[in-house]
Amino acid sequence: MYWNRAIECMDRDRLEELQLKRLKEVLARVYEKVPLYRRKFDAAGFDPRSVNALDDIKNVPFSTKEDMRESYPFDMFAVSLKEVVRIHASSGTTGKSTVVGYTRNDIAVWAELMARTLANAGTTSDDVVHNAYGYGLFTGGLGVHYGAEKIGASVIPISGGNTRRQVQIMADFGSTILACTPSYSLFLGESAIEAGYNPSKDFKLKAGVFGAEPWSESMRKEIEEKLNILAIDIYGLSEVIGPGVAAECKEKNGLHVNEDHFLIEVIDPETGENAPPGTLGEIVFTSLTKEAIPIIRYRTRDISSIIPGSCPCERTHARMARVSGRTDDMLIIRGINVFPSQIESVLLEIEETEPHYLLVVERKGHLDTLEVQVEVDEKHFSDEVRSLEALENKIRREIESILQISVDVKLVEPKTIQRSEGKAKRVVDKRQI
Amino acid sequence: MGVDQISVFMENREGRLAEMTKLLGERGINVRALFVADTADYGIARMIVDQPQKAIDVLKADGYTVNRTQVLAVEVPDRPGSLSGILSMLNEAKLNIEYLYCFADPERETALGIMRIEETERATELLRSSGVRVLEAEDVYSILK
Ligand SMILES: [Zn+2]
């Protein structure tokens, strides 16, 4: 189902023409209005008028999270506060939060993009949207809210928390579309079962749009089975616009980026060079239409790739793969970029293991070695050496096929790998370089 | 028929085995037989103990990965060729032995063979019908001292 078929399935050449026109406009505008971009462009010797093709974007300097923090609160705004009708901010776990603004037109664009996102999951004006994303400075709640209202669905602005009540409302109001983080959807499902509901009989849910945190294919399967729904991955970040940057279609194979409003690039986070399609790298966005706070070649630190080829759904907008990690965690082993999250996603897919692991990197002679320590799962512990060896081999093969480098897998006793809230200590790098 | 054997996953760390047996000893559990199958990185300690369920509870509570398997305990007369006779009998009946370990019982001039076989019941019948003594759990726990 399409919200805006003319745009979403638009001819590639025409789409790129539109992007180029908008790119030139936004570069000229930020050069004029935002001192930070003027300084960056001048320092790099980049003249916004020199852009004649989309490819010329590689000459434009990057912007970063640090730029946003240094501009706290409003220095990256390209309009005066008089024109800003909304302000959101990220939570800022490290240092100052990042602040973003929206003009009336930005809000309209955001609603359009979220309408597309929700329509991907099959949402129509007949639906009841249970919106359990947080409302407030976080962009999730209001983003979904405006998109669902634009479609004409009935929105339940329940926000987060009070799960028992959520479950009851979901049953009594007949919610059909669920919007929340993937982990919360599972928690809702479990709470419903505990409260005596049978989600597939007592709920009218048919689909969910899930984002704002990393999740895996096996988690999708679990959500789809537990709640008897279609589960769609959505992506966004407040610096770019909030949710609505990209969303999966029903093919569930990559998230279509709303390319009429955002230019996506994938770069090697080490060199800054553009990576070929299909290669993992850091996602970089340029907003093409945003008025209040345009962002130019913004380094998201999110790791993904652009999926080559076209999608059977007929949408022409490029697809990005499910975000598989953050650049902050990247390791370079034998010249290959390795992200701990890649290993985590492999382990999540293997039923016999828990996704608790420790990576030990060493240099032996001139060769880097990577050892992956994995905890044995109590449920699957066998007392036969050969089945443990078979498990080690299975894990090793799966990891090697993803990483393209050889690894050693070592089974360790359960609960011996350190766990910590949030960022667990996953890597021990013993190389002396 | 069928004896409970307890298997514990162990990293090859110095003193790990001693730690585990000490823990069992402190809780009054007697380890009657112990055999470690190991690889370069880890081992599997297989044990016959006098109180299998208590041993499992104690080990689990201390964070060990534990598994209970049914094994066969057979009396192997202490004379040349008696073990190979038992093995070829099982082999002819297409009963596959996953692993086997033996303990001598000097007092009674026999050895005890602990065998892991998929089809415990069929193996027991076959061995008994051929005059081999297959021990009951209680016998094993009291014999192995
Ligand atoms: Zn598609």
Side-chain angles (χ1 to χ4, degrees):
Chain A
M1 230 189 73
Y2 313 96
W3 173 251
N4 188 339
R5 191 182 171 122
I7 295 285
E8 292 174 71
C9 300
M10 164 177 208
D11 175 73
R12 245 349 270 182
D13 289 341
R14 279 191 46 223
L15 175 61
E16 285 172 17
E17 258 172 52
L18 177 68
Q19 287 185 307
L20 180 60
K21 176 173 157 276
R22 289 178 167 176
L23 177 64
K24 288 178 178 175
E25 285 165 6
V26 74
L27 290 173
R29 188 149 48 83
V30 296
Y31 188 73
E32 186 193 336
K33 308 268 181 156
V34 185
L36 178 125
Y37 285 119
R38 177 181 286 261
R39 281 198 306 276
K40 273 181 184 276
F41 290 5
D42 286 345
F46 168 74
D47 180 351
R49 286 165 306 184
S50 69
V51 170
N52 291 309
L54 281 178
D55 200 39
D56 291 336
I57 189 134
K58 63 180 189 297
N59 304 320
V60 183
F62 292 114
S63 58
T64 63
K65 185 110 184 162
E66 285 69 44
D67 291 329
M68 298 209 72
R69 290 213 186 98
E70 279 162 27
S71 307
Y72 180 89
F74 306 138
D75 285 355
M76 272 172 86
F77 284 22
V79 298
S80 69
L81 277 188
K82 188 178 166 60
E83 289 169 78
V84 170
V85 300
R86 175 86 60 72
I87 293 169
H88 281 285
S90 75
S91 52
T93 44
T94 49
K96 279 178 188 167
S97 62
T98 48
V99 182
V100 292
Y102 301 72
T103 64
R104 197 172 296 284
N105 191 48
D106 289 336
I107 293 282
V109 168
W110 193 17
E112 154 78 20
L113 301 184
M114 281 311 295
R116 290 185 201 172
T117 296
L118 287 159
N120 280 16
T123 312
T124 69
S125 54
D126 295 327
D127 280 302
V128 178
V129 176
H130 189 98
N131 186 9
Y133 280 113
Y135 280 67
L137 283 176
F138 172 59
T139 50
L142 284 163
V144 169
H145 186 98
Y146 277 67
E149 276 197 353
K150 187 168 175 83
I151 288 176
S154 318
V155 187
I156 305 171
I158 193 142
S159 198
N162 202 345
T163 305
R164 283 194 79 87
R165 183 149 169 262
Q166 298 235 5
V167 167
Q168 194 187 342
I169 283 182
M170 212 148 44
D172 294 350
F173 294 10
S175 309
T176 55
I177 304 287
L178 174 61
C180 62
T181 60
S183 55
Y184 191 64
S185 77
L186 279 177
F187 184 63
L188 268 176
E190 278 152 23
S191 307
I193 292 165
E194 257 171 48
Y197 292 95
N198 174 352
S200 52
K201 268 183 33 208
D202 302 328
F203 292 166
K204 292 191 177 142
L205 286 180
K206 59 180 197 191
V209 290
F210 304 112
E213 69 185 19
W215 53 311
S216 66
E217 252 342 279
S218 53
M219 199 161 164
R220 184 205 311 267
K221 217 182 272 169
E222 198 181 339
I223 294 171
E224 292 192 328
E225 278 165 15
K226 204 162 259 171
L227 294 173
N228 191 27
I229 58 170
L230 165 79
I232 293 279
D233 189 14
I234 69 172
Y235 174 81
L237 61 171
S238 65
E239 297 95 310
V240 180
I241 201 165
V245 177
E248 282 181 331
C249 61
K250 283 187 176 166
E251 300 294 326
K252 297 189 279 191
N253 179 22
L255 299 87
H256 289 282
V257 177
N258 284 308
E259 284 189 287
D260 50 331
H261 294 279
F262 310 107
L263 198 61
I264 180 172
E265 296 172 85
V266 178
I267 62 163
D268 181 322
E270 279 302 296
T271 63
E273 299 286 323
N274 284 72
T279 311
L280 274 187
E282 180 178 358
I283 298 290
V284 171
F285 282 110
T286 298
S287 68
L288 297 172
T289 54
K290 247 171 50 175
E291 295 175 344
I293 178 163
I295 45 134
I296 306 298
R297 292 201 96 194
Y298 181 72
R299 297 185 59 155
T300 63
R301 298 185 188 173
D302 283 334
I303 297 298
S304 175
S305 61
I306 293 178
I307 300 176
S310 55
C311 185
C313 76
E314 293 177 32
R315 285 180 181 82
T316 51
H317 293 215
R319 285 169 299 162
M320 58 181 267
R322 175 193 286 285
V323 169
S324 61
R326 304 275 299 159
T327 56
D328 316 56
D329 305 329
M330 188 178 80
L331 286 165
I332 301 175
I333 296 167
R334 281 173 247 157
I336 303 223
N337 296 346
V338 170
F339 304 100
S341 52
Q342 290 176 287
I343 290 158
E344 180 162 348
S345 63
V346 170
L347 296 177
L348 278 167
E349 307 293 322
I350 297 178
E351 197 201 343
E352 299 93 330
T353 60
E354 295 288 324
H356 300 299
Y357 61 92
L358 181 71
L359 305 182
V360 182
V361 191
E362 280 184 88
R363 176 160 290 182
K364 290 177 181 157
H366 291 289
L367 199 64
D368 294 338
T369 60
L370 175 61
E371 179 181 89
V372 183
Q373 297 186 2
V374 183
E375 288 186 0
V376 172
D377 179 5
E378 180 147 309
K379 290 192 293 291
H380 296 92
F381 167 56
S382 152
D383 90 317
E384 283 160 33
V385 173
R386 70 189 159 122
S387 51
L388 288 178
E389 281 176 345
L391 175 61
E392 275 185 331
N393 284 331
K394 179 179 177 184
I395 298 171
R396 185 174 50 77
R397 277 197 309 274
E398 304 261 327
I399 293 177
E400 286 178 349
S401 78
I402 298 284
L403 298 187
Q404 304 295 336
I405 58 168
S406 61
V407 300
D408 296 317
V409 170
K410 183 178 172 186
L411 297 178
V412 299
E413 290 175 25
K415 305 193 177 71
T416 53
I417 290 173
Q418 184 190 335
R419 283 146 178 72
S420 58
E421 287 290 315
K423 222 177 222 170
K425 194 149 176 40
R426 299 294 199 194
V427 180
V428 178
D429 199 336
K430 296 179 176 170
R431 288 176 294 188
Q432 311 272 329
I433 300 172
Chain B
M1 181 197 60
V3 176
D4 278 333
Q5 173 195 257
I6 294 172
S7 306
V8 184
F9 180 85
M10 310 211 110
E11 283 169 42
N12 284 350
R13 263 191 284 137
E14 208 173 319
R16 190 67 177 142
L17 191 61
E19 267 171 39
M20 181 194 65
T21 45
K22 181 163 172 263
L23 172 70
L24 292 174
E26 280 168 0
R27 305 297 295 272
I29 296 160
N30 235 318
V31 179
R32 306 297 203 188
L34 169 70
F35 177 80
V36 180
D38 63 353
T39 70
D41 293 329
Y42 57 83
I44 299 168
R46 298 177 183 137
M47 294 180 288
I48 309 284
V49 300
D50 58 351
Q51 302 165 77
Q53 188 53 50
K54 186 175 172 193
I56 289 171
D57 295 343
V58 165
L59 290 168
K60 279 198 173 171
D62 214 54
Y64 287 89
T65 307
V66 190
N67 160 308
R68 182 204 300 247
T69 11
Q70 290 271 299
V71 291
L72 272 189
V74 298
E75 203 173 76
V76 184
D78 199 8
R79 59 168 187 269
S82 57
L83 181 62
S84 68
I86 292 173
L87 295 183
S88 52
M89 202 187 326
L90 292 168
N91 189 35
E92 273 159 34
K94 301 243 176 315
L95 284 158
N96 190 30
I97 303 177
E98 303 281 353
Y99 54 78
L100 158 87
Y101 52 100
C102 286
F103 295 90
D105 183 6
E107 268 172 47
R108 306 192 322 153
E109 298 187 342
T110 58
L112 199 63
I114 306 285
M115 288 187 266
R116 167 77 183 140
I117 297 177
E118 273 295 298
E119 299 168 75
T120 314
E121 232 162 285
R122 190 154 79 83
T124 307
E125 275 168 37
L126 173 77
L127 291 170
R128 282 191 174 152
S129 69
S130 316
V132 177
R133 190 170 168 227
V134 179
L135 283 82
E136 297 295 334
E138 296 71 38
D139 301 335
V140 176
Y141 303 142
S142 61
I143 286 172
L144 282 168
K145 273 182 198 165

